[in-house]
Amino acid sequence: MTEKNVVTAIRDALHDEMADDDRIVLLGEDVGNRGGVFRISAGWMDEFGEARVIDTPLAESGLVGVAIGMALHGMLPVAEIQFADFIHPAFDQIVSEAARIRYRSNGSFGVPLVIRAPCGGGIHGALYHSQSIEAFFAHVPGIKVVMPATPADAAGLLRASIADPDPVLFLEHKKTYRAITGDVPEERHLVPIGKADVKREGSDLTCVSYGYALHACLDAAARLQQDEGISVEVVDVRTLAPLDTGTILDSVRRTSKAIVVYEDNRTYGAGAEIVSTIAEEAMFDLDAPVVRIGGPDVPAMPFAAPLEHYFMEPEPDQIYRRMLDLARA
Amino acid sequence: MTEKNVVTAIRDALHDEMADDDRIVLLGEDVGNRGGVFRISAGWMDEFGEARVIDTPLAESGLVGVAIGMALHGMLPVAEIQFADFIHPAFDQIVSEAARIRYRSNGSFGVPLVIRAPCGGGIHGALYHSQSIEAFFAHVPGIKVVMPATPADAAGLLRASIADPDPVLFLEHKKTYRAITGDVPEERHLVPIGKADVKREGSDLTCVSYGYALHACLDAAARLQQDEGISVEVVDVRTLAPLDTGTILDSVRRTSKAIVVYEDNRTYGAGAEIVSTIAEEAMFDLDAPVVRIGGPDVPAMPFAAPLEHYFMEPEPDQIYRRMLDLARA
Amino acid sequence: MSTQVASTPHGALGLSDDDLLSMYRTVITARLLDEAALRQNRMGRAPFVVPAEGHEACQVGTAWAMRRGVDVWLPYYRDGAVVLTAGMTPYEVFLGIFAKADDPSSGGRQMPSHWGHRELGIITGSSPIATQVPHAAGIAYAVRYRGEDAVVASWFGDGATSEGDWHEGLNFAGIHRLPVIFVCENNQYAISVPQSKQMAIENVADRAPGYGFPGVVVDGNDVLACYAAMKQAHERARAGDGPTLIECKTYRFLGHTSDDDDKTYRSRDEVEQARDRDPVHVFGEYLRANGVLDDVGAEELRAAVKGEIDEALSAAWEASDPEPASAMRHVFAEPGDPEGGSR
Amino acid sequence: MSTQVASTPHGALGLSDDDLLSMYRTVITARLLDEAALRQNRMGRAPFVVPAEGHEACQVGTAWAMRRGVDVWLPYYRDGAVVLTAGMTPYEVFLGIFAKADDPSSGGRQMPSHWGHRELGIITGSSPIATQVPHAAGIAYAVRYRGEDAVVASWFGDGATSEGDWHEGLNFAGIHRLPVIFVCENNQYAISVPQSKQMAIENVADRAPGYGFPGVVVDGNDVLACYAAMKQAHERARAGDGPTLIECKTYRFLGHTSDDDDKTYRSRDEVEQARDRDPVHVFGEYLRANGVLDDVGAEELRAAVKGEIDEALSAAWEASDPEPASAMRHVFAEPGDPEGGSR
Ligand SMILES: Cc1ncc(C[n+]2csc(CCOP(=O)(O)OP(=O)(O)O)c2C)c(N)n1
Ligand SMILES: Cc1ncc(C[n+]2csc(CCOP(=O)(O)OP(=O)(O)O)c2C)c(N)n1
Ligand SMILES: [Mg+2]
Ligand SMILES: [Mg+2]
């Protein structure tokens, strides 16, 4: 085990995979000499060669389209979208092509493609460097969507994504990059796609979250334990699609109370699916209505510090307070 | 009142609006001489002139981007996407631009744009002429999403969409075009955006739906009344965003049972938001868990008749049977 | 014998009389297959068909320069004659038209003419226009990366050139000088939209210099001209000299698909005039004039092909439909599924 | 006096000495504003700034041919000197840099340099590259539809030319011969990606013929050359002759933004060499050589501008921040909001 932050865990895992298997290439804007805007691939163009670390033109649809072509012809491309906010021009290539090629060819063709996209806010990135995009893609059958929140999960899920025969959207919350550290196994470990993880055990209520919001939940849970003796179980979804409903429902059935927390705009967000699943499958186990906390329904996170803070936390300490209310309900 | 089908209602309403206000233009692929693939604008290029009925190049992002420009400069463009399935290349222009321009300019600029998109399956259109796209856009603050199911709603919502100062995605279920007829007021009537409509009153359970699926629900409700004396209230959402939670919750609180039905892929679909809202707001009013019926989670509707039928109805008469089970629960 | 060959235009291109007869047979097969499919459509047995009529010369001419089993093909929906050249059989085409379980393109999942055939190196295609163009560039990148000798070709219509993906795909191919050929079958319409409303230029090929590689305009009704241009592009690609954009000027004789009514946007005069240069007749004339095939031979060939097609059609009609519940399969890989795609 | 004017290069372009002094003042304002903003960034008072350094001549030169209050401007984030020319004040720019409530672009909602100013006809811009290009075409369509005399211009970098939206926007403008000008500020890099990895050609301008209108290459460090090209394009647009693509060859002297470290991808030698042709110096030299402004005058002007900027900066720093809960506003129109946009 080595302690690392999330961005280092991603860098190390991707580096090792590339060193092991020359079918893997990294392509994206500024991944070459610049090493990516987050410096994940700094020095790799020299190490792996220009043919494997490919600076692309500024064109996301073409970038993903070209990567699909590579994946269709024996390579294992990792396409880096500089910021998740800039994935939208590639929406058609991802939805109509990557996600549908296996289905439409009746299983004849497959697209072993990983799309990495740094997402999420709270880093003073304003409207176009802060977005959450998981809800768009989790709804699309044919592509898997993962979003690790810890260094170990990031490394293990990235390796699993590269090994997966189907397209995987690998979401990296930028705020976890340096803020979150943790132990990562030295050896090549895979975290299975499609498995949620109980990050904190508890008995009074279940909190379901993912991404950076998970850490806010863990923090609130710790304080509630200390302040009020309330025991919160925190489930890290980790994979949005396919969603591990089993782990979520098991926990909710045990605690009888559930709160779902996510950073993205609340309405029609990924949390709606989780709440809906709990309501359909575990209603008679619930002692109180499910609580849902999502981001404000405004187009995206504003830049000015007071506005950004408001987006991240419209009421002070709202997760803590909603958990407390729920526990007492 | 005149009896018309949905496509005629849309044609007549759009025609009258264009005749009334020359700021309105229609632009899209094949809208000119061809009159659109659904012949909505047949003859209009002659009637309104080539400057107002604009055959665009085959480029959806450019089409929407150009329409945004027009909307920013005193015009009221109606952009026609030939099939909703082909809206994906325009995702960035819709999400990053149309939906965000008012917010990002702090209210200085607005985009009075209507995007019309024929959507939905059951018309032998296969993977790329059958898609439901409402979930992607209903999640985006800054754009409204409407989806009428009847001729009167189609006419009234289209007029309201054109009158709206903000971008509206106007979804037309292709299967309703000719299959659904009904009375439409002669005079210029507006159906307000953001208001759901109780299409059938009932007391035993509430069914929430929209689009073509609504008609399957109405049909099942009528048969249940006749066969079993079960009284189903059917709420037509009509506007996906902003969602009229008031009308939905009122009904559910009265009947104490709810079923949500939609054609789109079930998981992370629009119905998840509706179920979630009911669970959060009305759980203690419910006598049984909310039931959700969505389309199978496969990338899109296949072509072969047996496969298409399976997608539309995996079990025979499933809406009827799930309603019956729920009523008896 | 080889001297005799070289004295004809096709001989000069390295094509023997037998080659020419094979090409002609493919052209005739495409034409008769279209006609048979359209009849099935009118009979209500085929809900949707996409005729290639008018495009046969440019499809067979360009495709003929490719190597079966070696090169990689990314055709678009109108390319019935391209896929026949690549090795698809009429039986396989009809399996698609009737949406049968054994349809190699999609097992009946996609509309007909959305080609795909893993064994033949025909990459699965979709409806959204021009999405295959960046795929072609990516495959060509992989071909070179893996040190293969293959050439990749992508076909598309004039309409496709307006899409952002077209621009992005060609640009990437140009930057990396990839072994890929872009073939535009310019029939002057994107459904009803005439070329003048699609672009302010006469030749699509004139965009190629903007991507740093040559663009060539050829008469799309002249099968040998198309072959010659493609052959040269193919050699360029194999030599490491990068992509070529070939524009074949042609015309579509029938509606866009069986759902279209082209009378709304084209005069009958215009269509009739285009038929004067029907590529099937032009090719037949060439064969007669060069003593490769006389009228009797042509009639015999036609009859033979017709027999084959009728047989293929009947057999395909009898084939099994997909199982309803199989609609749930192949969302993700199943154990034993092949990896990736063309190789 | 008019004869005297015509005898200089700028006189030949119809620019008086006073015009030239105004242009120079704008150039100096842009440069000093950049420097001040960067200092604020280093002091931790401005989290993010986008320097235009190196681009001043091509920005002021092209923008100068536009008419304030009549024409429509779609700049990109690097266009600090374009928006100054359009009429934005340093105070307004600093309101954006400090994300203040009165920032005319966005009330502090967007990152600095995401320009917008309804009264001045500067259309709100976003981060995603090239999305404004189709907007420019659409606005130009509306200009003509409404019978206005306005000209629309859109600025962008070399990187933008790779995006599908760029292609689609230029193509639409060409088809309709719209009154729009496309200005490419080619500084040879999209962040770190050199031009050779963005395109296989030397001149972006060479793509214009593919859209049916002229492309022009100018020395982007020569303010008068930029003005001359833009003036001609402006006349073409007003005469109904359609769009022009102008490519200004220039160089960015600093990092891409305050977040960038350009040492990872450019040698210091390369940057130093480019600085030899610093457009501010080139312009200053021209003024001296033509007797328009001597060293003393230049120093005075510089000092005056510096004073203005310091004042603007202090005033903006003192301005109010946005109210936190105002983050919820303007998702949709509020009663009394202006309609549409530029008119
Ligand atoms: C992205 C997208 N937009 C629209 C369509 C609808 N559509 C199908 S074919 C077509 C015209 C294509 O014209 P062209 O590329 O010239 O090929 P042709 O049919 O003339 O051979 C259109 C608009 C589509 N399939 N995909
Ligand atoms: C769609 C999109 N992709 C990626 C980015 C990230 N990005 C911001 S600026 C930039 C480079 C732009 O280069 P260029 O157009 O040449 O302008 P310059 O900065 O050189 O003036 C990139 C890749 C973005 N803003 N939008
Ligand atoms: Mg065509
Ligand atoms: Mg640049």
Side-chain angles (χ1 to χ4, degrees):
Chain A
M1 290 284 186
T2 320
E3 186 164 327
K4 309 179 179 174
N5 61 20
V6 168
V7 75
T8 309
I10 290 171
R11 186 194 68 196
D12 291 351
L14 185 53
H15 180 273
D16 291 356
E17 293 294 321
M18 286 188 70
D20 268 12
D21 186 341
D22 67 10
R23 292 175 304 167
I24 305 171
V25 294
L26 175 67
L27 68 168
E29 295 154 12
D30 304 293
V31 300
N33 279 326
R34 182 76 179 75
V37 295
F38 297 102
R39 319 263 322 127
I40 283 178
S41 52
W44 293 8
M45 200 157 83
D46 287 338
E47 182 178 353
F48 296 118
E50 292 200 28
R52 295 188 65 198
V53 180
I54 308 162
D55 266 333
T56 63
L58 208 172
E60 289 74 13
S61 186
L63 159 56
V64 172
V66 160
I68 290 171
M70 292 171 170
L72 284 168
H73 202 78
M75 295 175 71
L76 299 176
V78 176
E80 177 175 305
I81 301 290
Q82 194 160 85
F83 287 89
D85 316 61
F86 305 134
I87 204 169
H88 303 324
F91 197 68
D92 190 48
Q93 282 288 351
I94 299 171
V95 173
S96 299
E97 300 297 323
R100 297 207 169 128
I101 279 178
R102 188 177 296 281
Y103 190 78
R104 79 178 184 222
S105 67
N106 207 21
S108 290
F109 292 86
V111 181
L113 163 68
V114 177
I115 302 174
R116 291 180 40 233
C119 65
I123 51 109
H124 229 47
L127 275 78
Y128 299 101
H129 299 79
S130 301
Q131 290 169 46
S132 300
I133 59 163
E134 66 274 11
F136 299 127
F137 297 99
H139 179 54
V140 177
I143 184 165
K144 301 177 183 179
V145 181
V146 303
M147 188 158 172
T150 65
D153 284 350
L157 277 167
L158 182 56
R159 293 181 196 266
S161 300
I162 293 170
D164 199 282
D166 288 300
V168 180
L169 177 61
F170 186 87
L171 296 173
E172 308 171 1
H173 196 296
K174 299 187 291 291
K175 186 127 185 177
T176 66
Y177 270 171
R178 280 166 237 283
I180 307 299
T181 54
D183 280 339
V184 179
E186 304 303 348
E187 72 293 352
R188 186 168 188 267
H189 80 298
L190 269 67
V191 171
I193 294 177
K195 276 301 295 164
D197 187 43
V198 175
K199 282 284 187 309
R200 178 189 177 97
E201 299 195 346
S203 53
D204 294 331
L205 63 96
T206 296
C207 172
V208 184
S209 189
Y210 58 89
Y212 186 68
L214 177 89
H215 298 285
C217 295
L218 286 169
D219 173 68
R223 287 188 288 130
L224 274 170
Q225 182 72 57
Q226 208 160 29
D227 300 353
E228 312 279 342
I230 293 169
S231 162
V232 180
E233 176 144 314
V234 180
V235 178
D236 180 1
V237 170
R238 291 200 299 199
T239 298
L240 274 301
L243 183 64
D244 178 4
T245 55
T247 300
I248 296 168
L249 292 172
D250 275 358
S251 175
V252 173
R253 288 193 177 113
R254 270 189 286 105
T255 65
S256 302
K257 287 179 174 173
I259 178 169
V260 177
V261 182
Y262 52 112
E263 174 181 321
D264 191 13
N265 307 116
R266 177 188 149 92
T267 304
Y268 296 103
E273 178 64 32
I274 299 169
V275 173
S276 181
T277 300
I278 295 170
E280 292 166 88
E281 304 294 330
M283 192 184 96
F284 289 131
D285 300 301
L286 290 178
D287 290 342
V290 191
V291 172
R292 177 162 58 131
I293 299 182
D297 285 322
V298 302
M301 210 166 293
F303 180 72
L307 303 175
E308 186 183 40
H309 292 155
Y310 185 89
F311 186 103
M312 294 297 278
E313 195 154 30
E315 309 154 37
D317 219 5
Q318 64 168 341
I319 297 173
Y320 180 96
R321 301 204 309 179
R322 298 290 293 275
M323 281 180 174
L324 184 60
D325 290 348
L326 180 58
R328 288 179 176 162
Chain B
M1 290 285 187
T2 319
E3 186 164 326
K4 309 177 178 174
N5 61 21
V6 168
V7 75
T8 310
I10 290 171
R11 186 194 67 198
D12 292 351
L14 185 53
H15 180 274
D16 292 356
E17 294 293 321
M18 286 188 70
D20 268 12
D21 187 341
D22 67 9
R23 292 175 304 167
I24 305 171
V25 294
L26 175 67
L27 67 168
E29 295 154 12
D30 304 292
V31 300
N33 281 324
R34 182 76 179 74
V37 296
F38 296 102
R39 318 265 322 126
I40 281 177
S41 52
W44 293 8
M45 200 157 83
D46 288 338
E47 183 179 351
F48 296 119
E50 290 199 30
R52 296 188 63 198
V53 180
I54 307 162
D55 266 334
T56 62
L58 208 173
E60 288 74 13
S61 187
L63 160 54
V64 172
V66 161
I68 290 171
M70 292 171 170
L72 284 169
H73 201 77
M75 295 175 71
L76 299 177
V78 177
E80 178 176 305
I81 301 291
Q82 195 161 83
F83 288 89
D85 315 61
F86 305 135
I87 203 167
H88 303 323
F91 198 70
D92 189 48
Q93 280 289 350
I94 299 172
V95 173
S96 299
E97 300 297 324
R100 298 206 169 131
I101 279 178
R102 188 177 296 280
Y103 190 78
R104 80 178 183 221
S105 68
N106 207 23
S108 290
F109 292 86
V111 182
L113 162 68
V114 177
I115 302 174
R116 292 182 39 236
C119 66
I123 50 112
H124 228 49
L127 275 78
Y128 299 101
H129 298 78
S130 301
Q131 290 168 46
S132 299
I133 59 164
E134 66 275 10
F136 299 126
F137 297 99
H139 179 53
V140 177
I143 184 166
K144 300 177 183 181
V145 181
V146 303
M147 189 159 172
T150 66
D153 285 349
L157 277 168
L158 183 55
R159 292 182 197 266
S161 300
I162 293 171
D164 200 281
D166 287 300
V168 180
L169 177 61
F170 186 87
L171 297 173
E172 309 171 2
H173 196 295
K174 299 186 292 291
K175 186 129 185 175
T176 66
Y177 269 172
R178 280 165 236 284
I180 306 300
T181 55
D183 281 338
V184 180
E186 304 303 349
E187 72 292 354
R188 183 167 190 269
H189 80 297
L190 268 67
V191 171
I193 294 176
K195 276 300 296 165
D197 186 43
V198 176
K199 282 284 186 312
R200 178 189 177 96
E201 299 195 343
S203 53
D204 293 333
L205 64 96
T206 295
C207 172
V208 185
S209 189
Y210 58 90
Y212 186 69
L214 177 87
H215 298 285
C217 295
L218 286 169
D219 173 66
R223 288 188 287 129
L224 273 171
Q225 182 71 57
Q226 207 160 27
D227 300 352
E228 310 281 343
I230 292 168
S231 163
V232 180
E233 176 144 312
V234 180
V235 177
D236 181 0
V237 170
R238 292 200 298 199
T239 298
L240 274 300
L243 183 65
D244 178 5
T245 55
T247 300
I248 295 168
L249 292 172
D250 275 359
S251 174
V252 172
R253 289 193 177 114
R254 272 188 285 103
T255 65
S256 301
K257 287 179 175 175
I259 177 169
V260 177
V261 182
Y262 52 112
E263 176 180 320
D264 191 13
N265 307 116
R266 176 187 151 92
T267 303
Y268 296 102
E273 178 64 32
I274 299 170
V275 173
S276 181
T277 299
I278 296 170
E280 291 166 88
E281 303 295 330
M283 191 184 99
F284 289 130
D285 300 300
L286 290 179
D287 290 342
V290 191
V291 173
R292 175 162 61 131
I293 300 182
D297 285 322
V298 302
M301 209 166 293
F303 181 70
L307 302 177
E308 186 183 39
H309 293 155
Y310 184 89
F311 187 103
M312 292 298 278
E313 196 155 28
E315 309 155 34
D317 218 4
Q318 66 167 341
I319 297 174
Y320 180 96
R321 301 203 309 180
R322 299 289 294 276
M323 281 180 175
L324 184 59
D325 290 350
L326 180 59
R328 289 181 175 159
Chain C
M1 171 128 175
S2 65
T3 37
Q4 194 198 342
V5 164
S7 69
T8 59
H10 60 277
L13 290 169
L15 293 170
S16 70
D17 286 4
D18 280 350
D19 290 335
L20 225 58
L21 285 172
S22 299
M23 287 173 85
Y24 187 64
R25 191 186 187 98
T26 310
V27 163
I28 292 294
T29 305
R31 176 64 59 95
L32 295 182
L33 201 159
D34 260 3
E35 291 173 0
L38 220 58
R39 275 193 304 275
Q40 295 297 305
N41 175 257
R42 302 239 168 79
M43 287 165 63
R45 301 213 303 183
F48 180 81
V49 301
V50 187
E53 274 202 49
H55 287 235
E56 292 92 344
C58 69
Q59 292 182 9
V60 173
T62 53
W64 209 266
M66 299 276 284
R67 294 161 299 172
R68 278 196 197 174
V70 177
D71 293 330
V72 185
W73 318 63
L74 293 98
Y76 80 119
Y77 54 81
R78 199 168 304 287
D79 282 325
V82 169
V83 298
L84 289 174
T85 309
M88 251 197 209
T89 64
Y91 173 68
E92 289 176 322
V93 173
F94 280 115
L95 286 174
I97 288 174
F98 296 136
K100 298 296 189 174
D102 287 343
D103 157 35
S105 296
S106 74
R109 290 170 170 214
Q110 291 218 74
M111 285 179 155
S113 299
H114 286 55
W115 317 108
H117 200 304
R118 191 183 166 106
E119 291 68 35
L120 295 173
I122 302 173
I123 305 298
T124 171
S126 63
S127 303
I129 299 290
T131 50
Q132 82 278 22
V133 174
H135 301 174
I139 294 172
Y141 191 98
V143 159
R144 193 175 55 201
Y145 183 80
R146 293 152 52 100
E148 297 167 0
D149 170 44
V151 172
V152 182
S154 169
W155 287 259
F156 45 80
D158 43 298
T161 65
S162 302
E163 279 286 0
D165 270 8
W166 186 85
H167 172 68
E168 300 183 14
L170 267 70
N171 192 36
F172 189 90
I175 293 165
H176 293 277
R177 290 175 78 84
L178 298 174
V180 56
I181 306 170
F182 301 105
V183 182
C184 179
E185 303 178 26
N186 183 352
N187 61 15
Q188 302 158 49
Y189 287 92
I191 308 187
S192 73
V193 182
Q195 183 174 336
S196 62
K197 290 188 172 179
Q198 297 183 57
M199 60 190 88
I201 54 173
E202 199 179 313
N203 299 320
V204 166
D206 292 347
R207 288 192 179 157
Y211 304 111
F213 52 82
V216 186
V217 180
V218 289
D219 177 356
N221 298 327
D222 179 343
V223 69
L224 292 182
C226 294
Y227 174 76
M230 190 74 170
K231 193 171 174 237
Q232 208 184 337
H234 197 272
E235 282 159 11
R236 265 180 60 81
R238 290 181 70 190
D241 293 335
T244 306
L245 170 61
I246 299 175
E247 177 182 11
C248 308
K249 304 280 194 186
T250 186
Y251 199 83
R252 149 169 71 75
F253 293 154
L254 302 176
H256 172 70
T257 67
S258 52
D259 285 349
D260 184 33
D261 173 11
D262 67 327
K263 285 192 227 57
T264 56
Y265 55 85
R266 304 194 296 194
S267 74
R268 292 309 88 188
D269 268 13
E270 181 185 305
V271 179
E272 278 321 306
Q273 216 171 313
R275 278 209 188 263
D276 286 350
R277 293 221 62 236
D278 184 332
V280 176
H281 298 159
V282 172
F283 197 3
E285 282 304 316
Y286 177 90
L287 295 179
R288 192 184 7 237
N290 286 274
V292 182
L293 190 69
D294 61 15
D295 285 352
V296 177
E299 224 13 85
E300 279 170 16
L301 185 144
R302 210 180 172 83
V305 167
K306 201 168 170 333
E308 266 173 46
I309 284 177
D310 288 346
E311 211 172 297
L313 190 157
S314 309
W317 180 252
E318 297 302 329
S320 315
D321 289 330
E323 279 302 314
S326 75
M328 299 307 294
R329 291 188 53 192
H330 301 302
V331 176
F332 291 115
E334 298 175 5
D337 267 2
E339 268 186 29
S342 46
R343 288 297 174 276
Chain D
M1 169 122 177
S2 64
T3 37
Q4 193 199 345
V5 166
S7 70
T8 60
H10 60 278
L13 290 168
L15 292 170
S16 69
D17 286 4
D18 280 351
D19 291 335
L20 226 59
L21 285 172
S22 299
M23 287 172 85
Y24 187 64
R25 191 186 187 98
T26 311
V27 162
I28 292 293
T29 306
R31 176 65 57 97
L32 295 182
L33 201 158
D34 261 3
E35 290 174 1
L38 220 59
R39 274 194 303 273
Q40 295 297 305
N41 173 258
R42 301 240 169 79
M43 286 164 64
R45 303 213 304 183
F48 180 81
V49 301
V50 187
E53 274 201 49
H55 287 234
E56 293 92 343
C58 67
Q59 292 182 9
V60 173
T62 54
W64 208 265
M66 297 277 285
R67 294 162 298 172
R68 276 196 197 175
V70 177
D71 294 329
V72 185
W73 318 64
L74 293 98
Y76 79 121
Y77 53 81
R78 199 166 305 287
D79 282 326
V82 169
V83 298
L84 289 175
T85 310
M88 253 198 209
T89 63
Y91 174 66
E92 289 176 323
V93 173
F94 280 115
L95 286 174
I97 288 174
F98 295 137
K100 298 296 189 173
D102 286 343
D103 158 33
S105 295
S106 74
R109 290 171 170 214
Q110 291 217 74
M111 284 177 156
S113 299
H114 287 55
W115 317 108
H117 200 303
R118 191 183 167 109
E119 291 69 35
L120 295 174
I122 301 172
I123 305 298
T124 169
S126 63
S127 304
I129 299 289
T131 51
Q132 83 277 24
V133 175
H135 302 175
I139 293 172
Y141 191 98
V143 158
R144 193 175 56 201
Y145 183 82
R146 293 153 51 101
E148 298 168 0
D149 171 43
V151 172
V152 182
S154 169
W155 287 258
F156 45 79
D158 44 297
T161 67
S162 302
E163 279 286 0
D165 270 9
W166 187 84
H167 172 67
E168 299 183 13
L170 266 71
N171 192 35
F172 189 90
I175 293 166
H176 293 277
R177 290 175 76 85
L178 297 175
V180 56
I181 306 170
F182 300 106
V183 182
C184 179
E185 302 179 26
N186 183 352
N187 60 15
Q188 303 159 50
Y189 287 92
I191 309 186
S192 72
V193 182
Q195 183 173 337
S196 62
K197 290 188 172 180
Q198 298 183 55
M199 61 189 91
I201 54 174
E202 198 179 315
N203 299 321
V204 166
D206 292 347
R207 288 194 178 154
Y211 304 110
F213 53 81
V216 188
V217 180
V218 288
D219 176 355
N221 297 327
D222 178 344
V223 70
L224 292 182
C226 295
Y227 174 76
M230 190 75 170
K231 192 170 176 235
Q232 208 183 337
H234 196 272
E235 281 160 11
R236 266 181 59 81
R238 290 181 70 190
D241 293 336
T244 306
L245 170 61
I246 298 174
E247 177 182 10
C248 308
K249 303 282 194 185
T250 186
Y251 199 83
R252 149 170 73 73
F253 292 154
L254 303 175
H256 172 69
T257 67
S258 52
D259 285 348
D260 184 33
D261 172 12
D262 67 327
K263 284 192 228 58
T264 55
Y265 55 83
R266 303 193 298 194
S267 74
R268 293 307 88 188
D269 267 12
E270 181 185 306
V271 178
E272 278 322 304
Q273 215 172 315
R275 278 208 188 264
D276 286 348
R277 293 223 60 236
D278 184 331
V280 176
H281 297 160
V282 172
F283 197 3
E285 281 305 316
Y286 177 91
L287 295 179
R288 189 183 11 233
N290 286 272
V292 183
L293 190 70
D294 59 16
D295 284 352
V296 176
E299 223 14 85
E300 278 171 17
L301 185 143
R302 210 181 172 83
V305 168
K306 203 169 168 335
E308 266 174 46
I309 285 176
D310 288 346
E311 210 171 297
L313 191 159
S314 307
W317 179 252
E318 297 302 330
S320 315
D321 288 331
E323 279 302 314
S326 75
M328 299 308 293
R329 292 188 53 192
H330 301 301
V331 177
F332 292 116
E334 297 176 5
D337 267 1
E339 270 186 27
S342 45
R343 289 297 174 273

